[in-house]
Amino acid sequence: MVQELVTAVITAGCVGFVYLAAAMRVVKQYERGVVFRLGRQTGEPRPPGLAVIIPFVDRLYKVNMQIVTLPIPAQEGITRDNVTVRVDAVVYFKVVDASSALIRVEDYKFAVSQMAQTSLRSIIGKSDLDDLLSNREKLNQGLELMIDSPAVGWGVQIDRVEIKDVSLPDTMKRSMARQAEADRDRRARIINADAEFQASKKLAEAAQQMADTPAALQLRLLQTVTAVAAEKNSTLVLPFPVELLRFLEKAQREPEPESYQSLARSAAPAAPGPPEQLVEGARASADPADPAPEEAPITPVRSTADAVTPDPDGSAARTRT
């Protein structure tokens, strides 16, 4: 009898141990336990620690309350300025209401992922390319609001949304590279022009100072010669004053003095007489009826041309004067 009693006690103890093992659940610090009794939620979610349920009647579901990092697959869309881009992002969210996350939505992670993808496509279509590249903070806030609005009813809170990468076509990359290069070139030219303007002002001031003090120009010339000679060159280049060239050019253009002009006029040969006088004189001297022909006056010819003069015997001779 005693043996049977001991056996019954041991059996009851084993059954009780198995019952307690089946009834006890451990909820971790970052989890909340939602209990369903015969398919219906019972009470508030169980806090972290040891939770006891009725075996085979209650069912405990643990919900993770940590922040979940959910990557959004790259979405291809067309921006407002008609540029095709691929944009991917990442969503950080957490469950704030374990009961709603289990009851109101089948799979809250999948629901948040789909909502994030559709919201990202909508943001791409409403934004310009420059906004996607430079004004991401504003787009992140807009995307967060679009996802957080329906997620509130699921017991999920969106912590933040970040656009991770924007992929552009190769043609657009080359165009942007040319634009950036042109902009850099424009800035370089403006800076160079500004430097030239400032240098010209300083040079003008230096020229004015040297004009007031001529010795300064000579000192500057000596400094230049010294700097060139320090390079150990075989050829030394010296600056030639422009004023000297102007003086020589002015002297060449000035008219000759009056004394030189009168001397040149006196030394010039006289123009020969009319050709009719030369012909009549030749005819008079060549007439045979004249018993004593007189020597015809010879008009002096002071040119390089030949003149015809008569001889006493009546023949014509060529005389060069």
Side-chain angles (χ1 to χ4, degrees):
M1 185 68 182
V2 176
Q3 187 177 0
E4 294 177 355
L5 182 60
V6 172
T7 304
V9 171
I10 294 174
T11 303
C14 291
V15 172
F17 179 78
V18 172
Y19 180 82
L20 290 176
M24 290 187 298
R25 295 287 186 274
V26 177
V27 179
K28 298 179 182 180
Q29 181 66 36
Y30 55 86
E31 294 177 340
R32 297 293 184 270
V34 181
V35 178
F36 290 92
R37 179 169 298 171
L38 299 177
R40 187 172 183 177
Q41 181 183 359
T42 302
E44 296 293 329
R46 302 297 175 87
L50 183 63
V52 180
I53 61 175
I54 300 174
F56 310 108
V57 177
D58 296 341
R59 188 176 297 273
L60 179 67
Y61 293 93
K62 299 178 182 179
V63 179
N64 193 335
M65 306 296 289
Q66 292 176 316
I67 295 178
V68 180
T69 303
L70 181 65
I72 303 176
Q75 303 296 314
E76 185 173 355
I78 300 176
T79 61
R80 190 167 57 182
D81 50 355
N82 298 325
V83 179
T84 303
V85 294
R86 290 177 60 88
V87 182
D88 57 351
V90 59
V91 180
Y92 300 90
F93 69 94
K94 64 181 179 179
V95 178
V96 293
D97 189 354
S99 300
S100 299
L102 286 177
I103 298 173
R104 297 187 179 183
V105 63
E106 181 180 1
D107 187 353
Y108 64 90
K109 291 184 179 181
F110 181 74
V112 171
S113 175
Q114 296 300 314
M115 179 58 64
Q117 293 182 30
T118 55
S119 300
L120 182 58
R121 285 178 175 271
S122 178
I123 286 292
I124 293 174
K126 295 178 180 179
S127 305
D128 295 331
L129 180 61
D130 294 339
D131 295 335
L132 290 175
L133 296 177
S134 60
N135 196 12
R136 293 189 180 182
E137 188 66 27
K138 183 178 179 180
L139 297 180
N140 293 337
Q141 295 177 0
L143 189 58
E144 179 181 348
L145 292 176
M146 294 179 66
I147 301 175
D148 189 58
S149 297
V152 172
W154 304 336
V156 177
Q157 179 182 353
I158 304 300
D159 189 62
R160 64 183 307 174
V161 181
E162 294 288 341
I163 294 177
K164 187 166 58 175
D165 187 22
V166 179
S167 300
L168 300 175
D170 295 336
T171 55
M172 181 58 63
K173 291 180 181 179
R174 289 193 294 267
S175 300
M176 295 177 66
R178 289 195 298 269
Q179 179 183 0
E181 184 178 358
D183 185 65
R184 292 291 180 181
D185 190 19
R186 178 182 63 84
R187 293 182 183 179
R189 291 185 179 183
I190 292 175
I191 294 174
N192 189 18
D194 190 18
E196 292 291 340
F197 177 71
Q198 295 179 6
S200 64
K201 292 178 64 176
K202 294 297 181 181
L203 289 175
E205 294 177 1
Q208 183 65 31
Q209 187 68 24
M210 289 183 179
D212 297 338
T213 309
L217 183 60
Q218 300 297 330
L219 294 177
R220 181 58 182 166
L221 176 60
L222 294 177
Q223 291 179 357
T224 304
V225 173
T226 304
V228 174
E231 298 294 334
K232 298 180 180 181
N233 296 326
S234 60
T235 303
L236 183 61
V237 179
L238 293 178
F240 194 78
V242 181
E243 289 76 7
L244 182 57
L245 295 177
R246 293 178 180 175
F247 175 76
L248 295 176
E249 183 180 1
K250 182 178 180 182
Q252 185 178 2
R253 292 181 179 179
E254 286 181 354
E256 297 180 354
E258 185 65 26
S259 60
Y260 292 105
Q261 294 181 3
S262 60
L263 180 61
R265 285 195 299 268
S266 63
E276 291 80 1
Q277 298 178 2
L278 298 178
V279 174
E280 291 178 357
R283 289 179 180 177
S285 61
D287 190 3
D290 192 359
E294 297 180 357
E295 185 177 357
I298 301 174
T299 304
V301 180
R302 300 181 183 274
S303 64
T304 57
D306 294 336
V308 180
T309 57
D311 287 341
D313 56 355
S315 62
R318 304 177 64 90
T319 303
R320 181 182 300 272
T321 60

